[in-house]
Amino acid sequence: MFEFTPKLLIWLWLICTFAGILGCLYALIAAGLLAKFAQKRVTRNSCNRPVSVLKPLYDTESELEANLASFCQQNYGGEIQLIFGLQKENDPASHVVERLRQRFPERDIRLCIDPTLHGANRKISNLINILSQASHDLLVLSDSDIRVEAGYLENVIGALEEPGVGAVSCLYCGVPVGGIWARLAAEGINSHFLPNALIGLGLGLAKPCFGATIALTKETLARIGGFEAFADQLADDYAIGMAVRRLGLRVVIPPFLVDHICYDRSFADLFRHELRAARTIRNIDPLGYAGVVVTNPTPFALAAAAIAGFNLTSLFVLLLTLASRTIVSVQASRLRGEGWGSGAVWLSPFRDLLSFAIFVASFLPGPLVWRGHRYELRSDGTLTPS
């Protein structure tokens, strides 16, 4: 039977304490980058070229109409075509599109209903079907749970017009709609994903492209093989970004955020979709993903305190860890125009423990669940129906 000897406990305490302190330093760097990001300015569009916005939809979700309406309310001088794609005739999201047509009669709003599947990734199949109706050379793709401000298209197209740019993507913050599970989901985005992404970008360790926004031209899309080249990819957004970079073009992340609406209604909903996201990242960059464990020091500091019997030294490290993680949460809240009054700040310790549990679970075998469909993930990052 395995036995925890005093020597082994000392080593465990040292490892956990070191991980906790290292995580504190990481958190302070992340908080500084969040503050710096808030001070940056975007490059606005000046040519007002016409643009087609492609929106793949699947069923209704909380705030769907408000999310889609934000793309209709753009202060953009050029022509905007909005194409919403569905894969079944009786999808209730079609009623949302019809209401948008009534609310915004001046907008070119189209609905494409096509059940054709081109691979295991249903979102990409939807985009392949939508693309045939796109009238303009400039394309902007965006997930259905994204909400934007009125200057969004002007900023995105402005970044795309810069020399050497092949695609534009956007960082996002979490906005909860609902109860505790939605708030925990949003806190996961704001205090884990967002600072980690900024550090990865700042150090040149990450080359992301996010489904929140992908803007590119039809010519660039054709050069990377069209959407068909990504029909079986789990991380389709990342794969599109990498394909653009292989052309020798840049993928730009402009200094503004879009809103990711979080509407998780249960722990099962939250755990399932975050586990899928975690496995996606692990598949893309296994080594970098393993390093994510350092970005979540709270469980290590808590374990060190328990091993040491909650003595003064271990309690100091634990309090230091909680304080540093709270600073990250506060800075992320300020980036979104909130502050100490935000309830998300007080969720930070619980969010850290949940993130660690998902990190551990991501290494366990099992199928992925995406929009009600089950898949197996191959080693090359492609999906196969389970």
Side-chain angles (χ1 to χ4, degrees):
M1 183 176 179
F2 187 80
E3 185 178 347
F4 285 94
T5 64
K7 186 176 181 179
L8 178 60
L9 288 175
I10 291 173
W11 275 107
L12 286 174
W13 178 82
L14 286 172
I15 292 170
C16 290
T17 300
F18 178 75
I21 294 173
L22 190 62
C24 289
L25 296 175
Y26 181 93
L28 294 176
I29 294 172
L33 287 175
L34 285 168
K36 186 178 180 181
F37 183 82
Q39 300 170 358
K40 292 183 177 180
R41 296 291 179 267
V42 297
T43 301
R44 296 187 178 276
N45 173 57
S46 58
C47 66
N48 296 325
R49 293 168 58 190
V51 58
S52 293
V53 178
L54 313 184
K55 278 281 188 179
L57 307 180
Y58 179 87
D59 211 342
T60 57
E61 54 198 49
S62 294
E63 303 291 312
L64 178 61
E65 185 168 346
N67 297 345
L68 303 185
S70 70
F71 287 82
C72 301
Q73 298 167 318
Q74 291 296 301
N75 295 332
Y76 183 72
E79 183 181 350
I80 303 173
Q81 178 191 39
L82 298 117
I83 312 173
F84 302 104
L86 294 170
Q87 293 182 298
K88 55 182 181 180
E89 289 283 351
N90 59 345
D91 194 310
S94 62
H95 303 300
V96 176
V97 176
E98 289 303 322
R99 289 196 296 271
L100 289 176
R101 282 174 168 166
Q102 295 173 13
R103 288 177 57 186
F104 304 99
E106 74 284 2
R107 290 295 186 200
D108 180 6
I109 298 176
R110 303 185 187 184
L111 177 62
C112 173
I113 302 176
D114 189 337
T116 306
L117 292 177
H118 303 271
N121 188 321
R122 291 173 176 263
K123 185 183 84 171
I124 292 295
S125 290
N126 206 342
L127 284 169
I128 293 171
N129 299 335
I130 293 173
L131 184 61
S132 62
Q133 297 194 24
S135 302
H136 307 306
D137 179 59
L138 289 182
L139 305 175
V140 175
L141 332 173
S142 180
D143 293 339
S144 61
D145 52 9
I146 297 300
R147 188 178 302 173
V148 297
E149 295 185 352
Y152 164 80
L153 278 180
E154 184 181 23
N155 295 332
V156 168
I157 302 305
L160 187 61
E161 292 295 324
E162 293 179 4
V165 174
V168 175
S169 192
C170 290
L171 289 167
Y172 53 90
C173 62
V175 177
V177 175
I180 184 66
W181 307 116
R183 292 169 65 189
L184 279 169
E187 180 66 5
I189 293 172
N190 299 331
S191 67
H192 286 267
F193 158 76
L194 187 53
N196 290 350
L198 287 175
I199 286 184
L201 286 167
L203 297 179
L205 300 176
K207 297 184 181 297
C209 189
F210 306 111
T213 293
I214 301 177
L216 72 174
T217 65
K218 282 184 177 179
E219 178 188 358
T220 301
L221 180 61
R223 290 177 64 191
I224 62 175
F227 291 128
E228 289 83 357
F230 314 99
D232 290 316
Q233 288 288 330
L234 171 62
D236 52 86
D237 45 6
Y238 174 82
I240 289 172
M242 290 303 294
V244 171
R245 291 183 176 97
R246 282 194 292 269
L247 297 178
L249 300 172
R250 291 186 294 140
V251 177
V252 171
I253 311 288
F256 71 93
L257 301 175
V258 297
D259 291 342
H260 180 288
I261 306 303
C262 302
Y263 53 89
D264 303 78
R265 297 187 180 92
S266 67
F267 174 77
D269 287 344
L270 172 62
F271 194 85
R272 189 162 44 237
H273 95 252
E274 291 201 359
L275 181 60
R276 176 175 62 83
R279 285 180 174 170
T280 301
I281 298 171
R282 181 170 66 86
N283 183 267
I284 291 171
D285 183 11
L287 186 60
Y289 181 72
V292 169
V293 70
V294 180
T295 72
N296 192 14
T298 303
F300 291 100
L302 187 60
I307 292 170
F310 293 94
N311 61 23
L312 288 178
T313 301
S314 63
L315 284 176
F316 174 76
V317 174
L318 177 59
L319 290 175
L320 185 66
T321 300
L322 293 173
S324 65
R325 291 297 303 158
T326 300
I327 290 172
V328 172
S329 185
V330 168
Q331 193 58 57
S333 296
R334 286 177 175 170
L335 192 60
R336 306 188 316 277
E338 301 172 351
W340 279 98
S342 170
V345 172
W346 308 108
L347 287 175
S348 180
F350 305 101
R351 178 64 246 192
D352 289 354
L353 294 174
L354 176 59
S355 294
F356 185 76
I358 290 171
F359 175 82
V360 173
S362 68
F363 290 92
L364 302 177
L368 294 172
V369 180
W370 189 6
R371 294 284 195 176
H373 299 278
R374 294 168 66 88
Y375 301 93
E376 296 292 339
L377 179 60
R378 301 189 185 102
S379 59
D380 61 354
T382 59
L383 295 168
T384 181
S386 175

